[in-house]
Amino acid sequence: MDNGKHSLPRVFDGRTFFSIPNYQRSYAWEEKQIKDFYDDYMSHKSSQNYYYGTILLQEAKSGKYEFFEIVDGQQRFTTLIIFMSCLIARLSSMEHEDAKALNKQYIKNGDLYVLRLQADDNDFFSTVILDGKSVSETRTPAQKRLLAAKRFFDEKIQNCTDEQVEELLEKIYSTNVLIYIIQDSIEAAMIFETTNDRGKSLTNLEKTKSFLMYKASLCLFHPEHILAKIQSRFSEIYRDFESISLLNINVDENSILQYNYIAFEKWKTDSNAREYQRYMEAFKSAVEELTKNVDLVESEKAQSDEEDFVEEESPLSQYIDAYTYNIQQSFAAFKAIYESKYPEFMDIVSLDRTASFMPLLMKCYIFDSTTDKSKFRTVCRLCEIFSFRVFVIFDKMANKLQSKWYSLARDFEGDFKKVSYEIVQMIGSVENDETFIEALAASDFGTKYSSPEKNYFFWKYENYLRTNEQPIATPMSHEDLRQ
Protein backbone atom coordinates (compact mmCIF):
# COMPACT_ATOMS: atom_id res chain seq x y z
CA MET A 1 0.00 0.00 0.00
CA ASP A 2 1.25 3.48 -0.86
CA ASN A 3 0.75 6.87 0.74
CA GLY A 4 -2.13 8.92 -0.54
CA LYS A 5 -5.87 8.86 -1.04
CA HIS A 6 -7.42 5.43 -1.42
CA SER A 7 -10.95 4.09 -1.68
CA LEU A 8 -12.00 1.72 1.09
CA PRO A 9 -12.09 -1.26 -1.33
CA ARG A 10 -8.44 -0.49 -2.12
CA VAL A 11 -7.47 -0.34 1.56
CA PHE A 12 -9.41 -3.50 2.39
CA ASP A 13 -8.24 -5.78 -0.39
CA GLY A 14 -8.26 -9.09 1.50
CA ARG A 15 -4.46 -9.19 1.59
CA THR A 16 -3.84 -6.34 4.03
CA PHE A 17 -4.21 -6.74 7.79
CA PHE A 18 -4.12 -4.26 10.64
CA SER A 19 -3.47 -4.29 14.37
CA ILE A 20 -3.66 -1.75 17.19
CA PRO A 21 -0.51 -1.74 19.33
CA ASN A 22 -0.82 -2.18 23.09
CA TYR A 23 0.52 1.31 23.81
CA GLN A 24 -2.66 2.80 22.31
CA ARG A 25 -5.72 3.21 24.50
CA SER A 26 -8.58 0.73 24.18
CA TYR A 27 -11.76 1.40 22.26
CA ALA A 28 -13.20 4.66 23.61
CA TRP A 29 -15.99 5.81 21.30
CA GLU A 30 -19.35 6.21 22.96
CA GLU A 31 -22.90 6.87 21.80
CA LYS A 32 -22.28 10.41 20.52
CA GLN A 33 -19.36 9.44 18.29
CA ILE A 34 -21.14 6.28 17.07
CA LYS A 35 -24.29 8.24 16.23
CA ASP A 36 -22.28 10.93 14.41
CA PHE A 37 -20.55 8.24 12.36
CA TYR A 38 -23.86 6.68 11.30
CA ASP A 39 -25.66 9.98 10.67
CA ASP A 40 -22.81 11.17 8.46
CA TYR A 41 -23.17 8.11 6.25
CA MET A 42 -26.95 8.29 6.13
CA SER A 43 -26.94 11.97 5.15
CA HIS A 44 -24.19 11.63 2.55
CA LYS A 45 -25.20 11.52 -1.11
CA SER A 46 -24.17 8.33 -2.90
CA SER A 47 -23.21 10.29 -6.00
CA GLN A 48 -20.43 12.10 -4.14
CA ASN A 49 -17.22 10.68 -2.70
CA TYR A 50 -17.10 10.57 1.07
CA TYR A 51 -13.90 11.43 2.96
CA TYR A 52 -13.30 9.34 6.08
CA GLY A 53 -10.21 11.10 7.39
CA THR A 54 -6.54 10.26 7.75
CA ILE A 55 -5.14 6.99 9.04
CA LEU A 56 -1.49 6.76 10.12
CA LEU A 57 0.04 3.32 9.64
CA GLN A 58 3.39 1.78 10.42
CA GLU A 59 4.42 -1.27 8.44
CA ALA A 60 4.94 -4.31 10.64
CA LYS A 61 5.59 -7.05 8.09
CA SER A 62 5.26 -7.59 4.36
CA GLY A 63 5.36 -10.56 2.05
CA LYS A 64 2.41 -12.51 0.70
CA TYR A 65 0.28 -10.35 2.99
CA GLU A 66 0.86 -6.83 4.34
CA PHE A 67 0.59 -6.12 8.05
CA PHE A 68 0.33 -2.61 9.50
CA GLU A 69 0.05 -1.16 12.99
CA ILE A 70 -2.45 1.70 13.32
CA VAL A 71 -0.63 4.67 14.84
CA ASP A 72 -3.56 7.08 14.67
CA GLY A 73 -7.17 6.64 13.63
CA GLN A 74 -7.76 3.43 15.56
CA GLN A 75 -11.10 4.56 16.97
CA ARG A 76 -12.51 5.41 13.54
CA PHE A 77 -10.95 2.31 12.00
CA THR A 78 -12.42 -0.03 14.62
CA THR A 79 -15.83 1.61 14.32
CA LEU A 80 -15.76 1.12 10.55
CA ILE A 81 -15.05 -2.60 10.95
CA ILE A 82 -17.93 -2.98 13.43
CA PHE A 83 -20.22 -1.11 11.06
CA MET A 84 -19.17 -3.30 8.15
CA SER A 85 -19.75 -6.50 10.13
CA CYS A 86 -23.35 -5.40 10.79
CA LEU A 87 -23.85 -4.28 7.18
CA ILE A 88 -22.45 -7.57 5.84
CA ALA A 89 -24.72 -9.55 8.17
CA ARG A 90 -27.72 -7.74 6.74
CA LEU A 91 -26.48 -8.27 3.17
CA SER A 92 -26.10 -11.98 3.91
CA SER A 93 -29.71 -12.16 5.10
CA MET A 94 -30.65 -10.57 1.77
CA GLU A 95 -28.55 -13.22 -0.03
CA HIS A 96 -26.56 -10.41 -1.61
CA GLU A 97 -24.01 -11.63 -4.14
CA ASP A 98 -21.19 -9.51 -2.65
CA ALA A 99 -21.66 -10.58 1.00
CA LYS A 100 -19.00 -13.32 1.06
CA ALA A 101 -16.42 -11.24 -0.77
CA LEU A 102 -17.03 -8.29 1.53
CA ASN A 103 -16.61 -10.51 4.59
CA LYS A 104 -13.25 -11.68 3.23
CA GLN A 105 -12.19 -8.08 2.61
CA TYR A 106 -13.36 -6.38 5.79
CA ILE A 107 -13.74 -9.07 8.44
CA LYS A 108 -11.80 -12.29 8.01
CA ASN A 109 -9.74 -13.97 5.31
CA GLY A 110 -9.24 -17.61 6.18
CA ASP A 111 -7.95 -17.71 9.74
CA LEU A 112 -6.79 -14.08 9.73
CA TYR A 113 -9.01 -11.30 11.02
CA VAL A 114 -8.53 -8.03 9.16
CA LEU A 115 -8.23 -6.07 12.42
CA ARG A 116 -6.60 -7.18 15.63
CA LEU A 117 -7.19 -5.17 18.83
CA GLN A 118 -5.07 -4.98 21.97
CA ALA A 119 -4.52 -8.22 23.88
CA ASP A 120 -7.18 -7.62 26.56
CA ASP A 121 -10.02 -7.10 24.09
CA ASN A 122 -9.02 -8.91 20.91
CA ASP A 123 -10.68 -12.26 21.66
CA PHE A 124 -13.92 -10.50 22.61
CA PHE A 125 -13.72 -8.39 19.45
CA SER A 126 -13.17 -11.32 17.10
CA THR A 127 -15.49 -13.80 18.80
CA VAL A 128 -18.42 -11.65 19.93
CA ILE A 129 -18.36 -8.56 17.73
CA LEU A 130 -17.22 -10.08 14.44
CA ASP A 131 -18.26 -13.74 14.73
CA GLY A 132 -21.52 -12.94 16.51
CA LYS A 133 -21.15 -15.34 19.43
CA SER A 134 -23.31 -14.57 22.47
CA VAL A 135 -21.77 -13.28 25.69
CA SER A 136 -23.16 -13.17 29.24
CA GLU A 137 -21.15 -10.15 30.35
CA THR A 138 -18.38 -7.79 29.34
CA ARG A 139 -15.10 -7.77 31.28
CA THR A 140 -13.72 -4.33 30.43
CA PRO A 141 -15.19 -0.88 29.70
CA ALA A 142 -13.81 -1.14 26.15
CA GLN A 143 -15.71 -4.39 25.60
CA LYS A 144 -18.87 -2.71 26.84
CA ARG A 145 -18.38 0.12 24.33
CA LEU A 146 -17.60 -2.32 21.50
CA LEU A 147 -20.80 -4.24 22.20
CA ALA A 148 -22.82 -1.02 22.43
CA ALA A 149 -21.52 0.05 19.01
CA LYS A 150 -22.42 -3.30 17.47
CA ARG A 151 -25.93 -3.22 18.94
CA PHE A 152 -26.42 0.36 17.75
CA PHE A 153 -25.44 -0.45 14.17
CA ASP A 154 -27.37 -3.74 14.19
CA GLU A 155 -30.56 -1.98 15.21
CA LYS A 156 -30.14 0.85 12.71
CA ILE A 157 -29.25 -1.36 9.75
CA GLN A 158 -31.95 -3.93 10.50
CA ASN A 159 -34.49 -1.12 10.38
CA CYS A 160 -33.27 -0.01 6.96
CA THR A 161 -35.09 -1.06 3.82
CA ASP A 162 -33.26 -3.24 1.32
CA GLU A 163 -32.85 -0.17 -0.89
CA GLN A 164 -31.28 1.81 1.97
CA VAL A 165 -28.89 -1.07 2.65
CA GLU A 166 -27.83 -1.04 -1.01
CA GLU A 167 -27.28 2.72 -0.76
CA LEU A 168 -25.12 2.28 2.34
CA LEU A 169 -22.99 -0.23 0.45
CA GLU A 170 -22.58 2.20 -2.45
CA LYS A 171 -21.49 4.87 0.00
CA ILE A 172 -18.85 2.48 1.34
CA TYR A 173 -17.58 1.93 -2.19
CA SER A 174 -17.32 5.70 -2.73
CA THR A 175 -15.58 6.41 0.59
CA ASN A 176 -12.01 7.67 0.43
CA VAL A 177 -9.41 7.63 3.19
CA LEU A 178 -6.02 9.32 3.28
CA ILE A 179 -3.33 6.78 4.15
CA TYR A 180 0.02 7.89 5.46
CA ILE A 181 2.60 5.18 6.13
CA ILE A 182 5.33 6.14 8.57
CA GLN A 183 8.70 4.49 8.86
CA ASP A 184 9.26 4.34 12.61
CA SER A 185 8.03 5.50 16.03
CA ILE A 186 10.06 8.71 15.71
CA GLU A 187 8.10 9.84 12.67
CA ALA A 188 4.91 8.62 14.32
CA ALA A 189 5.47 10.87 17.32
CA MET A 190 6.22 13.88 15.12
CA ILE A 191 3.06 13.47 13.05
CA PHE A 192 0.76 12.45 15.88
CA GLU A 193 1.46 15.61 17.89
CA THR A 194 0.90 17.98 14.96
CA THR A 195 -1.95 16.36 13.01
CA ASN A 196 -4.65 14.72 15.08
CA ASP A 197 -8.25 14.57 13.92
CA ARG A 198 -9.94 12.05 16.17
CA GLY A 199 -13.66 12.06 16.70
CA LYS A 200 -13.21 12.26 20.45
CA SER A 201 -11.13 14.92 22.17
CA LEU A 202 -7.80 13.87 23.62
CA THR A 203 -7.57 13.58 27.38
CA ASN A 204 -4.68 15.17 29.25
CA LEU A 205 -3.19 11.70 29.64
CA GLU A 206 -3.13 11.21 25.87
CA LYS A 207 -1.79 14.73 25.37
CA THR A 208 0.99 13.95 27.83
CA LYS A 209 2.01 10.83 25.93
CA SER A 210 1.99 12.47 22.50
CA PHE A 211 3.78 15.61 23.73
CA LEU A 212 6.58 13.61 25.37
CA MET A 213 7.01 11.39 22.31
CA TYR A 214 7.09 14.45 20.08
CA LYS A 215 9.67 16.28 22.17
CA ALA A 216 11.83 13.18 22.51
CA SER A 217 11.74 12.62 18.75
CA LEU A 218 12.49 16.26 18.03
CA CYS A 219 15.22 16.89 20.59
CA LEU A 220 17.08 13.65 21.28
CA PHE A 221 19.71 12.28 18.93
CA HIS A 222 18.77 8.64 19.58
CA PRO A 223 15.19 8.72 20.94
CA GLU A 224 14.31 5.08 20.17
CA HIS A 225 15.02 3.81 23.70
CA ILE A 226 13.00 6.47 25.51
CA LEU A 227 10.15 6.18 22.97
CA ALA A 228 9.98 2.45 23.68
CA LYS A 229 9.78 3.21 27.41
CA ILE A 230 6.96 5.71 26.89
CA GLN A 231 4.98 3.24 24.79
CA SER A 232 5.48 0.37 27.23
CA ARG A 233 4.53 2.43 30.26
CA PHE A 234 1.43 3.94 28.69
CA SER A 235 0.34 0.47 27.68
CA GLU A 236 0.34 -0.44 31.39
CA ILE A 237 -1.30 2.87 32.34
CA TYR A 238 -4.19 2.34 29.94
CA ARG A 239 -4.71 -1.24 31.13
CA ASP A 240 -4.69 -0.12 34.79
CA PHE A 241 -7.22 2.61 34.11
CA GLU A 242 -9.48 0.10 32.35
CA SER A 243 -9.37 -1.95 35.56
CA ILE A 244 -10.05 1.16 37.66
CA SER A 245 -13.10 1.89 35.52
CA LEU A 246 -14.57 -1.46 36.54
CA LEU A 247 -14.42 -0.57 40.25
CA ASN A 248 -17.29 1.95 40.05
CA ILE A 249 -15.12 4.79 41.32
CA ASN A 250 -16.10 8.30 40.39
CA VAL A 251 -12.69 9.29 39.02
CA ASP A 252 -11.34 10.14 35.58
CA GLU A 253 -7.83 9.58 34.29
CA ASN A 254 -7.03 13.30 34.34
CA SER A 255 -7.60 13.38 38.11
CA ILE A 256 -5.12 10.57 38.68
CA LEU A 257 -2.67 12.32 36.36
CA GLN A 258 -3.01 15.48 38.45
CA TYR A 259 -2.57 13.50 41.68
CA ASN A 260 0.67 12.18 40.22
CA TYR A 261 1.86 15.71 39.43
CA ILE A 262 1.04 16.85 42.96
CA ALA A 263 2.88 13.91 44.53
CA PHE A 264 6.04 13.78 42.43
CA GLU A 265 6.68 17.19 40.86
CA LYS A 266 8.33 20.02 42.78
CA TRP A 267 5.54 22.48 42.10
CA LYS A 268 5.53 26.02 43.45
CA THR A 269 2.99 28.57 44.56
CA ASP A 270 2.96 31.98 42.89
CA SER A 271 0.90 35.07 43.59
CA ASN A 272 -1.99 33.88 41.44
CA ALA A 273 -2.25 30.12 41.83
CA ARG A 274 -0.45 26.90 42.61
CA GLU A 275 1.21 25.13 39.72
CA TYR A 276 -0.73 21.91 40.31
CA GLN A 277 -3.94 23.78 39.45
CA ARG A 278 -2.57 24.25 35.91
CA TYR A 279 -0.45 21.12 35.89
CA MET A 280 -0.48 20.53 32.12
CA GLU A 281 0.82 24.03 31.46
CA ALA A 282 3.45 23.67 34.19
CA PHE A 283 4.50 20.23 32.92
CA LYS A 284 4.91 21.47 29.35
CA SER A 285 6.85 24.51 30.54
CA ALA A 286 9.26 22.24 32.42
CA VAL A 287 9.84 20.19 29.27
CA GLU A 288 10.27 23.29 27.13
CA GLU A 289 12.90 24.57 29.58
CA LEU A 290 14.87 21.36 29.07
CA THR A 291 14.78 21.74 25.28
CA LYS A 292 16.26 25.24 25.08
CA ASN A 293 19.61 23.89 23.94
CA VAL A 294 18.16 21.89 21.06
CA ASP A 295 19.86 24.05 18.42
CA LEU A 296 23.22 23.54 20.15
CA VAL A 297 22.79 19.77 20.15
CA GLU A 298 21.72 19.75 16.49
CA SER A 299 24.78 21.85 15.64
CA GLU A 300 27.06 19.37 17.42
CA LYS A 301 25.48 16.52 15.49
CA ALA A 302 25.88 18.34 12.20
CA GLN A 303 29.59 18.93 12.83
CA SER A 304 30.28 15.33 13.80
CA ASP A 305 30.16 11.98 12.12
CA GLU A 306 26.77 10.55 13.11
CA GLU A 307 28.34 7.18 13.87
CA ASP A 308 30.92 8.83 16.12
CA PHE A 309 28.46 11.10 17.92
CA VAL A 310 27.91 9.89 21.47
CA GLU A 311 25.06 11.52 23.30
CA GLU A 312 25.12 11.38 27.08
CA GLU A 313 21.79 10.86 28.80
CA SER A 314 20.31 14.32 28.57
CA PRO A 315 18.28 16.13 31.26
CA LEU A 316 15.28 15.87 28.93
CA SER A 317 15.66 12.10 28.63
CA GLN A 318 16.05 11.78 32.40
CA TYR A 319 12.96 13.91 33.01
CA ILE A 320 10.82 11.93 30.55
CA ASP A 321 12.02 8.66 32.06
CA ALA A 322 11.18 9.77 35.62
CA TYR A 323 7.90 11.48 34.69
CA THR A 324 6.44 8.52 32.78
CA TYR A 325 7.65 6.04 35.41
CA ASN A 326 5.92 8.03 38.15
CA ILE A 327 2.69 8.19 36.14
CA GLN A 328 2.77 4.43 35.60
CA GLN A 329 3.44 3.84 39.31
CA SER A 330 0.67 6.26 40.33
CA PHE A 331 -1.99 4.55 38.21
CA ALA A 332 -0.86 1.14 39.47
CA ALA A 333 -0.96 2.37 43.08
CA PHE A 334 -4.40 3.96 42.68
CA LYS A 335 -5.75 0.68 41.31
CA ALA A 336 -4.10 -1.41 44.02
CA ILE A 337 -5.35 0.84 46.83
CA TYR A 338 -8.98 0.50 45.76
CA GLU A 339 -8.69 -3.20 44.95
CA SER A 340 -7.05 -4.05 48.30
CA LYS A 341 -9.96 -2.57 50.29
CA TYR A 342 -7.90 -2.07 53.42
CA PRO A 343 -10.39 -1.10 56.16
CA GLU A 344 -8.37 2.00 57.06
CA PHE A 345 -8.67 3.28 53.49
CA MET A 346 -12.31 2.23 53.11
CA ASP A 347 -13.12 4.41 56.14
CA ILE A 348 -11.85 7.43 54.17
CA VAL A 349 -13.96 6.36 51.20
CA SER A 350 -17.01 6.05 53.46
CA LEU A 351 -16.54 9.67 54.52
CA ASP A 352 -16.57 10.62 50.81
CA ARG A 353 -13.61 12.98 51.10
CA THR A 354 -10.69 11.26 49.36
CA ALA A 355 -9.46 14.00 46.99
CA SER A 356 -7.35 15.84 49.56
CA PHE A 357 -5.54 12.69 50.63
CA MET A 358 -5.04 10.70 47.41
CA PRO A 359 -1.69 12.19 46.26
CA LEU A 360 -0.14 11.43 49.64
CA LEU A 361 -1.77 8.00 49.92
CA MET A 362 -0.62 6.97 46.45
CA LYS A 363 2.92 8.01 47.26
CA CYS A 364 2.81 6.27 50.65
CA TYR A 365 1.58 3.07 49.02
CA ILE A 366 4.46 3.18 46.54
CA PHE A 367 7.06 3.87 49.25
CA ASP A 368 5.74 1.28 51.73
CA SER A 369 7.80 -1.91 51.33
CA THR A 370 6.09 -3.84 54.15
CA THR A 371 4.21 -6.96 53.07
CA ASP A 372 0.95 -5.89 54.73
CA LYS A 373 1.33 -2.18 53.83
CA SER A 374 1.21 -1.38 57.55
CA LYS A 375 2.89 2.03 57.17
CA PHE A 376 0.46 3.04 54.44
CA ARG A 377 -2.46 1.86 56.57
CA THR A 378 -1.26 3.93 59.53
CA VAL A 379 -1.30 7.05 57.35
CA CYS A 380 -4.78 6.09 56.14
CA ARG A 381 -5.99 5.91 59.73
CA LEU A 382 -4.60 9.39 60.45
CA CYS A 383 -6.28 10.73 57.29
CA GLU A 384 -9.59 9.22 58.43
CA ILE A 385 -9.25 10.85 61.84
CA PHE A 386 -8.47 14.19 60.22
CA SER A 387 -11.39 13.83 57.79
CA PHE A 388 -13.94 13.06 60.50
CA ARG A 389 -12.72 15.61 63.03
CA VAL A 390 -11.84 18.51 60.76
CA PHE A 391 -14.07 18.14 57.69
CA VAL A 392 -17.13 16.64 59.39
CA ILE A 393 -17.32 17.67 63.04
CA PHE A 394 -15.69 21.08 62.75
CA ASP A 395 -16.99 21.66 59.23
CA LYS A 396 -13.77 23.04 57.80
CA MET A 397 -13.81 23.48 54.02
CA ALA A 398 -11.76 20.73 52.40
CA ASN A 399 -10.53 22.95 49.55
CA LYS A 400 -9.05 25.48 51.99
CA LEU A 401 -6.89 22.81 53.60
CA GLN A 402 -6.14 20.93 50.41
CA SER A 403 -2.88 22.71 49.65
CA LYS A 404 -1.48 21.64 53.03
CA TRP A 405 -2.16 18.00 52.19
CA TYR A 406 -0.75 18.42 48.71
CA SER A 407 2.41 19.97 50.16
CA LEU A 408 2.75 16.94 52.44
CA ALA A 409 2.53 14.68 49.40
CA ARG A 410 5.06 16.70 47.40
CA ASP A 411 7.60 16.75 50.24
CA PHE A 412 7.15 13.14 51.37
CA GLU A 413 10.20 11.02 50.51
CA GLY A 414 9.56 7.90 52.56
CA ASP A 415 9.86 9.14 56.15
CA PHE A 416 6.63 7.70 57.57
CA LYS A 417 7.34 8.82 61.14
CA LYS A 418 7.78 12.41 60.03
CA VAL A 419 4.65 12.53 57.87
CA SER A 420 2.59 10.88 60.63
CA TYR A 421 3.81 13.45 63.12
CA GLU A 422 2.93 16.29 60.72
CA ILE A 423 -0.61 14.95 60.26
CA VAL A 424 -1.10 14.68 64.04
CA GLN A 425 0.09 18.29 64.36
CA MET A 426 -2.38 19.37 61.66
CA ILE A 427 -5.23 17.67 63.52
CA GLY A 428 -4.29 19.37 66.78
CA SER A 429 -3.93 22.77 65.16
CA VAL A 430 -7.61 22.83 64.23
CA GLU A 431 -9.20 21.92 67.57
CA ASN A 432 -8.01 20.05 70.66
CA ASP A 433 -9.34 16.72 71.94
CA GLU A 434 -11.53 18.33 74.60
CA THR A 435 -13.37 20.46 72.04
CA PHE A 436 -13.84 17.41 69.81
CA ILE A 437 -15.38 15.37 72.65
CA GLU A 438 -17.66 18.27 73.58
CA ALA A 439 -18.90 18.41 69.97
CA LEU A 440 -19.75 14.71 70.05
CA ALA A 441 -21.57 15.04 73.38
CA ALA A 442 -23.47 18.21 72.43
CA SER A 443 -27.24 18.06 72.79
CA ASP A 444 -27.76 19.16 69.19
CA PHE A 445 -25.51 16.41 67.73
CA GLY A 446 -28.54 14.56 66.35
CA THR A 447 -29.82 17.58 64.43
CA LYS A 448 -26.59 19.39 63.53
CA TYR A 449 -25.06 16.77 61.24
CA SER A 450 -26.40 15.07 58.13
CA SER A 451 -27.53 11.46 58.18
CA PRO A 452 -24.43 9.99 56.44
CA GLU A 453 -22.11 11.72 58.92
CA LYS A 454 -24.15 10.64 61.94
CA ASN A 455 -24.42 7.12 60.52
CA TYR A 456 -20.64 6.93 60.20
CA PHE A 457 -20.16 7.88 63.84
CA PHE A 458 -22.77 5.40 65.11
CA TRP A 459 -21.42 2.69 62.79
CA LYS A 460 -17.96 3.17 64.30
CA TYR A 461 -19.40 3.09 67.82
CA GLU A 462 -21.43 -0.04 67.05
CA ASN A 463 -18.32 -1.82 65.79
CA TYR A 464 -16.40 -0.75 68.89
CA LEU A 465 -19.06 -2.34 71.07
CA ARG A 466 -19.16 -5.50 68.96
CA THR A 467 -15.39 -5.84 69.22
CA ASN A 468 -14.84 -4.88 72.88
CA GLU A 469 -18.05 -5.60 74.80
CA GLN A 470 -19.72 -8.92 75.55
CA PRO A 471 -21.14 -10.67 73.68
CA ILE A 472 -18.46 -10.27 70.99
CA ALA A 473 -20.00 -10.05 67.52
CA THR A 474 -18.90 -9.71 63.92
CA PRO A 475 -18.35 -6.02 63.02
CA MET A 476 -20.64 -4.38 60.49
CA SER A 477 -18.99 -4.02 57.08
CA HIS A 478 -18.57 -0.91 54.96
CA GLU A 479 -21.28 -2.32 52.70
CA ASP A 480 -23.62 -2.39 55.73
CA LEU A 481 -22.86 1.29 56.31
CA ARG A 482 -23.73 2.24 52.73
CA GLN A 483 -27.08 0.42 52.74
Side-chain angles (χ1 to χ4, degrees):
M1 189 186 303
D2 300 322
N3 290 336
K5 184 173 70 173
H6 297 283
S7 66
L8 286 185
R10 170 66 184 86
V11 175
F12 298 94
D13 57 6
R15 301 171 62 85
T16 307
F17 300 86
F18 307 89
S19 63
I20 299 175
N22 284 330
Y23 66 81
Q24 301 283 18
R25 71 160 51 252
S26 301
Y27 188 68
W29 272 19
E30 297 174 334
E31 184 177 358
K32 180 184 184 304
Q33 290 79 37
I34 300 299
K35 185 176 184 299
D36 288 345
F37 172 97
Y38 183 77
D39 290 344
D40 284 347
Y41 259 117
M42 291 302 291
S43 61
H44 180 67
K45 295 181 180 179
S46 300
S47 59
Q48 298 174 345
N49 287 340
Y50 180 78
Y51 175 62
Y52 192 53
T54 303
I55 306 293
L56 301 186
L57 304 175
Q58 183 175 350
E59 189 170 13
K61 185 172 64 174
S62 63
K64 180 181 177 181
Y65 297 125
E66 287 187 302
F67 294 85
F68 293 94
E69 287 189 343
I70 303 173
V71 176
D72 187 39
Q74 70 267 27
Q75 305 292 338
R76 286 176 284 118
F77 203 98
T78 305
T79 303
L80 177 65
I81 296 295
I82 300 171
F83 173 77
M84 286 304 301
S85 71
C86 298
L87 180 60
I88 292 167
R90 175 64 192 279
L91 290 169
S92 296
S93 70
M94 294 164 53
E95 299 184 353
H96 195 283
E97 60 182 4
D98 292 341
K100 288 185 178 180
L102 288 167
N103 194 73
K104 184 177 179 181
Q105 282 181 267
Y106 291 88
I107 308 301
K108 186 179 182 181
N109 186 353
D111 293 330
L112 290 175
Y113 289 90
V114 172
L115 177 63
R116 180 179 180 83
L117 299 194
Q118 297 94 327
D120 289 351
D121 298 317
N122 186 62
D123 181 61
F124 179 89
F125 180 66
S126 58
T127 304
V128 177
I129 304 301
L130 301 183
D131 290 347
K133 298 290 195 301
S134 60
V135 63
S136 58
E137 62 179 357
T138 54
R139 291 192 308 107
T140 69
Q143 290 177 11
K144 184 177 180 180
R145 290 188 284 264
L146 288 165
L147 188 58
K150 177 180 173 61
R151 288 172 173 169
F152 177 90
F153 290 139
D154 266 337
E155 179 182 354
K156 292 293 185 180
I157 294 174
Q158 290 302 321
N159 288 330
C160 288
T161 64
D162 290 354
E163 291 74 16
Q164 287 174 320
V165 172
E166 291 279 5
E167 286 182 10
L168 276 174
L169 183 58
E170 288 301 317
K171 291 174 183 179
I172 291 293
Y173 289 150
S174 63
T175 294
N176 290 321
V177 59
L178 183 62
I179 297 293
Y180 191 92
I181 302 173
I182 58 175
Q183 300 304 311
D184 51 36
S185 55
I186 298 174
E187 186 181 4
M190 301 284 283
I191 295 173
F192 185 87
E193 176 69 13
T194 53
T195 58
N196 196 291
D197 61 349
R198 295 185 183 185
K200 190 172 182 179
S201 298
L202 293 178
T203 65
N204 285 342
L205 186 63
E206 291 172 301
K207 291 176 182 177
T208 298
K209 182 187 76 169
S210 65
F211 180 75
L212 289 176
M213 291 182 69
Y214 172 69
K215 286 298 182 181
S217 300
L218 184 68
C219 304
L220 299 178
F221 187 34
H222 288 296
E224 297 85 359
H225 180 62
I226 197 68
L227 289 176
K229 278 189 174 182
I230 295 171
Q231 292 173 343
S232 175
R233 286 168 181 171
F234 271 84
S235 175
E236 294 183 44
I237 290 165
Y238 287 141
R239 302 294 83 77
D240 280 339
F241 188 70
E242 286 286 294
S243 299
I244 291 168
S245 300
L246 293 171
L247 299 175
N248 295 320
I249 304 167
N250 185 25
V251 67
D252 58 48
E253 61 194 55
N254 291 340
S255 295
I256 304 175
L257 183 64
Q258 185 180 31
Y259 292 155
N260 169 80
Y261 185 91
I262 291 165
F264 288 100
E265 292 301 295
K266 299 305 178 185
W267 47 269
K268 302 179 180 66
T269 300
D270 58 30
S271 57
N272 297 318
R274 297 166 181 86
E275 283 182 343
Y276 66 76
Q277 294 171 325
R278 43 181 179 82
Y279 68 99
M280 284 299 293
E281 178 186 340
F283 146 71
K284 288 188 174 183
S285 295
V287 173
E288 294 290 358
E289 185 67 26
L290 293 171
T291 62
K292 283 186 175 180
N293 294 325
V294 169
D295 292 340
L296 177 61
V297 173
E298 294 295 328
S299 175
E300 291 176 355
K301 286 191 290 183
Q303 294 173 17
S304 65
D305 231 354
E306 183 170 324
E307 293 183 359
D308 297 332
F309 187 88
V310 178
E311 182 182 22
E312 297 181 2
E313 188 176 18
S314 69
L316 174 62
S317 180
Q318 292 174 347
Y319 180 85
I320 293 174
D321 188 7
Y323 197 78
T324 54
Y325 178 76
N326 287 337
I327 296 174
Q328 185 268 317
Q329 290 292 298
S330 292
F331 273 78
F334 190 98
K335 177 175 91 99
I337 288 170
Y338 272 92
E339 286 183 338
S340 64
K341 293 188 176 181
Y342 290 120
E344 297 87 353
F345 175 72
M346 295 309 296
D347 284 353
I348 303 173
V349 174
S350 297
L351 287 167
D352 197 25
R353 289 172 172 86
T354 59
S356 296
F357 311 117
M358 281 312 300
L360 176 62
L361 294 180
M362 287 160 49
K363 204 170 182 182
C364 285
Y365 192 92
I366 292 168
F367 275 73
D368 187 357
S369 59
T370 62
T371 55
D372 61 352
K373 294 294 181 183
S374 57
K375 295 179 180 179
F376 161 77
R377 295 167 71 176
T378 296
V379 175
C380 284
R381 177 57 66 216
L382 291 172
C383 291
E384 180 260 345
I385 293 171
F386 184 95
S387 182
F388 183 72
R389 288 178 62 149
V390 177
F391 293 152
V392 175
I393 297 302
F394 296 121
D395 197 24
K396 303 295 183 182
M397 295 295 291
N399 57 358
K400 290 185 178 180
L401 295 166
Q402 211 168 53
S403 62
K404 291 185 178 180
W405 282 99
Y406 289 172
S407 296
L408 275 183
R410 178 195 61 196
D411 299 336
F412 175 71
E413 297 295 341
D415 190 336
F416 282 89
K417 287 186 177 179
K418 179 182 178 183
V419 77
S420 296
Y421 174 79
E422 290 175 338
I423 296 172
V424 171
Q425 292 299 109
M426 286 173 60
I427 295 171
S429 68
V430 176
E431 293 289 351
N432 58 35
D433 291 346
E434 290 76 14
T435 307
F436 174 63
I437 294 172
E438 288 175 7
L440 296 181
S443 59
D444 63 347
F445 180 83
T447 57
K448 184 176 180 180
Y449 300 101
S450 67
S451 294
E453 293 163 343
K454 286 184 294 187
N455 289 347
Y456 181 82
F457 172 76
F458 290 123
W459 172 75
K460 277 286 188 178
Y461 183 56
E462 173 68 22
N463 280 345
Y464 170 81
L465 294 176
R466 291 187 179 205
T467 306
N468 295 278
E469 302 289 337
Q470 296 295 332
I472 301 298
T474 302
M476 296 174 64
S477 67
H478 289 89
E479 287 72 21
D480 293 329
L481 172 63
R482 288 193 290 269
Q483 287 180 354

